[in-house]
Every structure is written in structure tokens, then in C-alpha cells.
Amino acid sequence: MKNSLLIVLSVSFFWMGCTEKKLDQKTAQEMIVSELQFPIIGDYDLFCNDPQHAKRVIDLGLEKQGLVTVKRTLKILDPSPLVSFTNRAAPFLLETSSEDKSYSIHKVKVWEEHFGQITSIITNTTKNVTIVDYTVLRTNTVFAVLYGRDLKKEMQRTAYFYLSENGWKIVKRADVEFGKFQK
């Protein structure tokens, strides 16, 4: 009777130990969202006193959309910027440092990224490494045209996890490839 009880306890502890080592989707998602601090805001620095930026804003149609106003003439003693924002642009304006403001640079929100879903989990038990592929959903704003590239709405990303004595940790890809882990 004692032997069978010991066997049952040993098997159950072994089973519990094995299940703790496997990274589940919920834990992976929570760690990715926490580590990368989703949602992620993409910004763009608009140089409001730069004539090239003013021309670009006009060419991209932001003035026609009523988001900005652009001065067509520049007076020498006029301290106001060439590009100014309307009330319609207010939801897309980001906090700008006082140093940037002193140079008439303003940050605008170009996109917002949210965690999508996990598409695959691949575990390498010999190295205690798990590779998680997941999607990121991006919502573009009206200022996305300033970025100058196609901003995809859904993108595939990869996170690398290492199982240390203290539990799972997100690590860099290079650390996985070269086996450099902080224990």
C-alpha cells in the first residue's frame, strides 16, 4: 500500500513539474503585452517651421481634410509656425517635449498597435526555449500618410522565451541563438 501511494505521489509530482515547464498561450500573451506595453503608439515628428514639411502636408491633403492650416507666406519677424493644427487634429496630437516645442516640432499619432493573437508556440525542451509567433493589429490614423510607407493593418511578430529557475522570461533572439541567458 505504501509503495503504491509513493508511486502515485511521484507520478503526480512529475506530471506537475512537466506541466509547469510548458508555456501556455495565456501566460505568453500576458508577458508579451506587459513587456512591450501594449498598446504601442507610433509617432511622427512634424517640423512646423520647415517649408518642406509644410509643402508635404499640403501635397498629402492634410490641409484639405481640415487637420492643419499652412501659411503660404513667411514674414521675417512673425514667430508663428508655418504649419498649425486645427481642433479636428486634436485627438492625434501627442505630448511634445518643451525642447521640441522650442524648435516648433510637434509629435502626431500615426498608428496604434494592439496585441492580436498567438498563431504558434514552438518549444525546444533541450534548450528551455519557446518561440511564440503572434499578430499585431495596427489602426492607422489620418496622419499615417506622413510616414511614407505602407502601414499594414496586421503584422506577424515573434517573441522568444527562456525558462530559468525563476520562471519564464522574454529574451532577445540573439540570446537564444548564442545561448546567452541571465539566470
Side-chain angles (χ1 to χ4, degrees), residues 79-136:
S80 62
L82 291 173
V83 178
S84 57
F85 298 96
T86 64
N87 290 338
R88 194 168 176 204
F92 309 109
L93 301 179
L94 299 174
E95 189 173 323
T96 305
S97 70
S98 56
E99 183 181 359
D100 282 350
K101 285 181 185 176
S102 69
Y103 293 110
S104 294
I105 299 171
H106 208 346
K107 290 190 179 297
V108 294
K109 181 193 234 182
V110 179
W111 71 75
E112 191 171 314
E113 287 182 355
H114 297 274
F115 184 87
Q117 64 182 2
I118 292 177
T119 55
S120 72
I121 297 178
I122 301 169
T123 303
N124 182 341
T125 54
T126 58
K127 292 186 177 183
N128 288 340
V129 174
T130 297
I131 300 171
V132 177
D133 291 324
Y134 62 97
T135 59
V136 172

Side-chain angles (χ1 to χ4, degrees), residues 2-87:
K2 279 186 178 180
N3 287 340
S4 62
L5 182 61
L6 284 174
I7 292 172
V8 169
L9 285 175
S10 298
V11 169
S12 64
F13 284 127
F14 177 74
W15 182 77
M16 287 172 47
C18 289
T19 57
E20 282 182 25
K21 289 184 180 184
K22 187 168 175 131
L23 181 66
D24 62 41
Q25 281 193 343
K26 183 180 178 192
T27 305
Q29 180 176 340
E30 288 171 356
M31 289 180 70
I32 292 168
V33 168
S34 172
E35 179 82 17
L36 298 178
Q37 299 176 352
F38 280 99
I40 299 171
I41 306 295
D43 62 36
Y44 181 86
D45 290 340
L46 186 65
F47 293 76
C48 296
N49 265 343
D50 185 350
Q52 289 178 336
H53 276 236
K55 181 182 181 326
R56 188 158 183 249
V57 163
I58 293 169
D59 292 344
L60 293 172
L62 295 175
E63 187 178 41
K64 284 183 181 176
Q65 293 178 34
L67 297 165
V68 297
T69 56
V70 180
K71 286 186 190 177
R72 299 292 198 259
T73 58
L74 181 63
K75 297 179 182 173
I76 293 176
L77 298 176
D78 187 6
S80 62
L82 291 173
V83 178
S84 57
F85 298 96
T86 64
N87 290 338

